[in-house]
Amino acid sequence: MVPVPQTSPQTPPVLRRTPVQQRSAERLARILDACAALLDETGYEQLSTRAVAVRAGVPIGSVYRFFGNKRAMVAALAHRNLDEYAERISTRFAATPLLDAHGAIDGVLDEFIAMKRTVPGFALVDFGVPAAAPGETSAEGSVGSGGSAGEAAGGAEEAGAGDAAEGGSGGSGEDGIEGLAEDPNRLVVDRICALLATHLGRTVDDDLRRKVLVGVETADALVRLAFRADPAGDPALVDETRHLLHAYLAPSLSS
């Protein structure tokens, strides 16, 4: 068994512009860090692009350079969370290469629980975008963003010529937002299947995808229940989730 490949960060499809320069990449990271922190403090409905810009210490135009609205920003955060989740699992598998199916399932579940407990914003936005509020759509750059179109255009000038010269690709990213909002777990399933199959020496086929999909959907619901019962995740409910995943998934992963 070898360390799982394909866990390097993937560029979210929701960016208006892909950062090329290190300075721009660092600014994007600060924006997403600020977004995550504010989600914990205010929730999604009260989140605004202006508040994120203030918390990140960047001009509002820097936010609009990357994102058309707060849904696109939160979608990018969700993609970053998925990259981090896959990297955590990959690192865990590489450190303990003799894990059997039960140990691999534990790793997938334990890293998810750990992120729920420790990663800013993850309790509200793990791998998906919250449902749109009334009147909010992913295509509307100013709805729910806390800023007008004129403010966005003016702020973009403040972002600096260095960003404007960057050769990143443009685009609204609307397809990426909608795909993530409709079924984020399909992305989770793809990553988990690749990780498990490579570690356990199993082929990714329709049967494995179906089994992992059922496992992901079930674990997602039960973990949410555990964190509703206890802010730290009710240990008894987490245990029940583990037993269920062992019974359902381990036979397929061992075959």
Side-chain angles (χ1 to χ4, degrees), residues 28-248:
L28 173 60
R30 290 204 308 274
I31 290 169
L32 293 180
D33 288 345
C35 176
L38 286 170
L39 281 169
D40 282 339
E41 294 174 17
T42 70
Y44 176 74
E45 290 188 3
Q46 298 302 315
L47 184 72
S48 73
T49 52
R50 172 167 288 281
V52 169
V54 170
R55 175 64 63 90
V58 302
I60 186 68
S62 292
V63 176
Y64 283 114
R65 182 167 297 282
F66 293 117
F67 309 111
N69 55 33
K70 72 176 183 180
R71 286 185 68 73
M73 182 168 53
V74 171
L77 177 64
H79 276 276
R80 188 176 76 166
N81 286 341
L82 181 55
D83 283 335
E84 180 178 345
Y85 180 51
E87 185 62 34
R88 281 170 173 249
I89 295 171
S90 182
T91 299
R92 182 166 179 148
F93 285 0
T96 50
L98 298 180
L99 280 177
D100 60 6
H102 286 82
I105 291 168
D106 286 343
V108 171
L109 178 61
D110 289 345
E111 293 303 332
F112 183 56
I113 298 293
M115 290 184 72
K116 281 281 190 185
R117 289 171 174 159
T118 63
V119 174
F122 196 83
L124 184 61
V125 174
D126 43 29
F127 310 123
V129 184
E136 179 190 8
T137 69
S138 62
E140 293 173 332
S142 61
V143 173
S145 67
S148 67
E151 182 181 56
E157 296 177 1
E158 298 175 24
D163 283 343
E166 224 177 51
S169 59
S172 67
E174 291 173 23
D175 291 342
I177 300 171
E178 290 307 318
L180 194 65
E182 290 171 7
D183 191 8
N185 279 347
R186 67 183 170 79
L187 301 177
V188 180
V189 168
D190 286 345
R191 300 293 279 275
I192 291 178
C193 279
L195 289 158
L196 290 174
T198 303
H199 183 76
L200 297 172
R202 193 195 187 290
T203 302
V204 177
D205 53 23
D206 289 342
D207 181 62
L208 180 62
R209 290 183 184 280
R210 183 171 55 253
K211 292 283 189 181
V212 172
L213 174 61
V214 171
V216 165
E217 293 285 354
T218 303
D220 186 33
L222 291 176
V223 169
R224 289 178 187 277
L225 176 62
F227 278 82
R228 286 201 304 271
D230 181 339
D234 182 87
L237 289 173
V238 170
D239 257 1
E240 291 297 328
T241 304
R242 190 182 311 278
H243 294 324
L244 186 151
L245 292 176
H246 283 174
Y248 180 71

